[in-house]
Amino acid sequence: MTTLIPKFDLKNGGSTPIGAINRTIFEKLSDVISVKDFGAIGDGIVDDTDAIQAAITAVSDGGGLYFPDGTYAVTEIFFDKTYQKIVFAGNATIKGIADSATDAIVHIVRRQCIFTNMTINGNYNLNYTASLQWHSNVDGSVYPGFVRVHDLTIQNSKIGILYGAATSPIDAPVSENHLTGYLTRGVERCIVLNQPNGVLFMTNCTLDCQQYEWPSDDWSYTVANCIENMQCTLSVSNCEFVKATSNDGWGIINRSTLTLNAVTAEIASQNFFIGDGSETHILGYYNHFWNNSTTGFFGSDLNATAYISATDLLYSKGAGAVGAGKGLFDFNTSTSIVAKFENCKFIGQTNSALLATDTNGYYTQANVYIKNSYIVDTANSYSNTISMSDDNAAWYYQFQDIAKYNVVAGGPNATAAIVASGSINFANALQLTSTDSTSITVATKLDIDGSIRITNRAPILQFSMKVVSATQFYGSVTALYYDDAGVFISSQALGVNGVIGPFTSISGAQEYVTVSRTLSPPLNAAQVSIRFGISSYAQVWRIGNVKVY
């Protein structure tokens, strides 16, 4: 084709700009390759899968591809070229029409591509695992790194983005990827990440986890969430989580590494965080929740270790919320939780609600550190500072689950059992019973916080006992110290010859005695085991949760 494009500028009245040249029509039209150049119709009815895949294949690595306005019905398409720039017009949408089980409507599988203004409509189609799958090939030799996705919208899908694989993910560097401006509507699970060696940065996103127009039978509240991070390093900045499920769903499930920075949430869920073997870091976070009547803001439901740190967290019970709430934590069966909060503000709460026991009726083994924070009870218009630390920057407020104690009973007439304590401070207690002079012992281990070790501070052990007999009560309490390898170092008797007491039975309903003792751990001590015992008397001792602060 030799016809020339005249050198003119309509904005300048037809004058020729300095430096303009004539080009062939073929050369001019080659500047932009459209999917319609390969036969895509875009009417939402005709299957455009083959036409779009042909266009992707024809565009060279580093080239650009354009989707004009229209609804492009496809079964499954793969963006499998590198360096491509894919641009969608304002009203261009990809719609999934698969009639059998299919992994995703759109796949991103190559490096250093840029996607702009892509909209995917899951079309309520239950044949798809996800609308968009961002993943390597089957052996990990080809993977999508350094990819940027701008202004992505996903609608009406069970899973919006699957980053990695639903099961058996390939260990590949699906990393250095950026997702900016991701918006969901009618998506049950907005983003699921299951990618070893995966890194994703999310910025300026609104994840609206709600059923909207979905038929009720096709929507499950119990699995709905805004973020489900199984395996990945995920960083989220300047984003909003909206109506993040209800009933038994979660706002965020994090079983890997998650950082939230300047994030806002309007939560309608019964549960919000779940950290199972995870690390969750929060810097500047606002949560306005609707309903928090049964479980805590943070939770863990597996036998695993979880770590949570929060700075400048604003946790607000909204005007529409019902119930007193269970406060910050629901540790459930988790074997270890470390939670640190600094410069945080809790609105619409009380001390008793914020630090309430979890659904099991007692704290599990956990370390809770709160510093320079306060509670505002909007109903009673007062502010209450909570700073579970001290002026020497030692953060420590540790709970030990009484049910996790290792019980050793000596003699046929000595028993130990978990019972209802009857105390307003804790629901369960360990009851040690001796009907003769046979001894009975119970012990548990605490981690000694690094700040205590560094400053050689003396933590305070506080525990409560319930005297149920009319006689005087005696008991022994001993601290046993261990190093980082678990090797015994030394012991400390917490009383005269290790004996605490005597205490006379207290009249009235409570009948509790609270005892505090100062611990003196060696500098190289990493753990302390607190051993309680009764001997020489027929008596009952009820021990509640142990606090070291």
Side-chain angles (χ1 to χ4, degrees):
M1 183 178 294
T2 58
T3 303
L4 299 180
I5 299 295
K7 302 181 293 183
F8 64 86
D9 185 351
L10 294 177
K11 292 186 296 184
N12 294 324
S15 63
T16 300
I18 298 175
I21 63 173
N22 283 321
R23 301 171 65 201
T24 67
I25 291 177
F26 178 81
E27 184 181 0
K28 179 70 174 178
L29 294 178
S30 296
D31 288 345
V32 178
I33 296 178
S34 167
V35 293
K36 290 196 173 184
D37 295 336
F38 291 81
I41 303 301
D43 64 357
I45 300 173
V46 175
D47 188 344
D48 288 325
T49 302
D50 292 341
I52 292 174
Q53 198 64 58
I56 295 171
T57 301
V59 175
S60 61
D61 287 349
L65 182 63
Y66 181 63
F67 284 74
D69 288 338
T71 299
Y72 299 92
V74 302
T75 54
E76 191 172 25
I77 58 175
F78 292 80
F79 288 98
D80 52 4
K81 301 294 286 291
T82 57
Y83 302 99
Q84 280 190 341
K85 296 175 178 61
I86 299 94
V87 178
F88 291 76
N91 292 316
T93 299
I94 297 177
K95 182 178 75 172
I97 59 169
D99 57 7
S100 60
T102 306
D103 289 335
I105 303 170
V106 173
H107 294 260
I108 298 176
V109 294
R110 285 295 182 115
R111 293 168 52 87
Q112 293 171 279
C113 292
I114 300 175
F115 296 82
T116 303
N117 202 38
M118 178 165 56
T119 296
I120 306 174
N121 185 353
N123 199 28
Y124 312 107
N125 192 328
L126 301 182
N127 291 312
Y128 289 105
T129 300
S131 279
L132 170 63
Q133 188 175 7
W134 197 332
H135 63 107
S136 66
N137 64 350
V138 293
D139 63 3
S141 60
V142 176
Y143 47 85
F146 297 90
V147 172
R148 287 174 286 169
V149 177
H150 304 290
D151 299 322
L152 169 67
T153 300
I154 296 182
Q155 307 165 340
N156 311 323
S157 175
K158 299 294 282 185
I159 295 178
I161 298 174
L162 177 57
Y163 193 83
T167 59
S168 303
I170 302 297
D171 189 355
V174 183
S175 56
E176 291 71 55
N177 292 316
H178 292 257
L179 175 61
T180 305
Y182 174 35
L183 175 66
T184 65
R185 178 181 174 89
V187 177
E188 187 175 72
R189 299 156 73 187
C190 299
I191 180 168
V192 176
L193 303 101
N194 192 21
Q195 180 58 57
N197 200 7
V199 178
L200 178 65
F201 298 89
M202 291 178 57
T203 308
N204 299 336
C205 302
T206 298
L207 306 185
D208 194 344
C209 178
Q210 187 57 274
Q211 70 180 82
Y212 291 111
E213 296 89 357
W214 275 83
S216 59
D217 292 343
D218 294 337
W219 177 274
S220 174
Y221 281 116
T222 60
V223 299
N225 53 72
C226 285
I227 294 175
E228 185 174 342
N229 186 19
M230 312 305 291
Q231 294 186 82
C232 190
T233 297
L234 175 63
S235 178
V236 181
S237 301
N238 302 317
C239 293
E240 181 185 16
F241 306 139
V242 183
K243 291 182 289 297
T245 80
S246 60
N247 294 340
D248 297 324
W250 298 86
I252 295 176
I253 298 176
N254 181 42
R255 295 189 173 98
S256 189
T257 301
L258 170 66
T259 300
L260 303 177
N261 181 27
V263 172
T264 297
E266 184 180 284
I267 303 303
S269 63
Q270 300 284 356
N271 310 302
F272 188 59
F273 269 95
I274 175 171
D276 297 318
S278 65
E279 290 189 23
T280 302
H281 304 269
I282 300 174
L283 177 61
Y285 180 92
Y286 173 73
N287 175 51
H288 177 92
F289 67 91
W290 294 106
N291 183 7
N292 191 34
S293 61
T294 59
T295 57
F297 181 63
F298 293 97
S300 184
D301 69 345
L302 297 180
N303 293 318
T305 300
Y307 178 84
I308 301 165
S309 67
T311 302
D312 298 325
L313 166 68
L314 178 58
Y315 177 43
S316 174
K317 180 177 180 181
V322 298
K326 296 296 290 188
L328 279 175
F329 309 106
D330 181 8
F331 295 132
N332 207 350
T333 58
S334 183
T335 57
S336 179
I337 294 281
V338 177
K340 293 188 175 184
F341 301 88
E342 184 172 14
N343 299 327
C344 296
K345 184 177 181 181
F346 309 100
I347 299 178
Q349 292 279 0
T350 62
N351 277 331
S352 58
L354 189 71
L355 299 174
T357 54
D358 66 18
T359 53
N360 289 325
Y362 52 83
Y363 284 103
T364 60
Q365 185 175 356
N367 300 330
V368 181
Y369 308 79
I370 301 181
K371 190 175 183 181
N372 301 329
S373 302
Y374 60 96
I375 297 174
V376 177
D377 188 325
T378 54
N380 296 308
S381 301
Y382 73 87
S383 177
N384 184 16
T385 300
I386 50 172
S387 187
M388 299 174 185
S389 60
D390 59 26
D391 294 336
N392 295 290
W395 302 46
Y396 40 89
Y397 191 79
Q398 299 176 316
F399 294 99
Q400 291 294 302
D401 173 13
I402 201 71
K404 293 183 179 295
Y405 287 166
N406 298 315
V407 178
V408 179
N413 298 316
T415 61
I418 302 298
V419 299
S421 72
S423 168
I424 60 173
N425 297 318
F426 45 87
N428 292 316
L430 178 66
Q431 180 170 288
L432 308 181
T433 304
S434 179
T435 57
D436 55 20
S437 60
T438 305
S439 65
I440 183 170
T441 301
V442 61
T444 188
K445 279 189 176 180
L446 302 161
D447 290 329
I448 299 178
D449 185 78
S451 58
I452 299 174
R453 300 169 64 185
I454 294 172
T455 58
N456 195 24
R457 299 191 55 76
I460 305 297
L461 170 70
Q462 182 186 78
F463 53 94
S464 298
M465 302 171 293
K466 183 173 183 179
V467 181
V468 295
S469 64
T471 61
Q472 288 187 329
F473 176 83
Y474 290 86
S476 64
V477 180
T478 305
L480 299 94
Y481 300 106
Y482 301 82
D483 64 13
D484 288 299
V487 177
F488 174 78
I489 301 172
S490 63
S491 63
Q492 176 188 357
L494 302 178
V496 179
N497 296 321
V499 176
I500 302 295
F503 302 115
T504 303
S505 180
I506 303 170
S507 61
Q510 286 293 328
E511 298 180 342
Y512 280 93
V513 176
T514 299
V515 180
S516 296
R517 290 293 184 269
T518 300
L519 302 180
S520 301
L523 287 176
N524 60 335
Q527 290 182 318
V528 56
S529 177
I530 308 299
R531 185 171 64 195
F532 302 88
I534 57 176
S535 62
S536 305
Y537 295 91
Q539 55 190 298
V540 177
W541 190 358
R542 287 185 181 176
I543 307 167
N545 285 359
V546 180
K547 300 177 183 179
V548 176
Y549 61 93

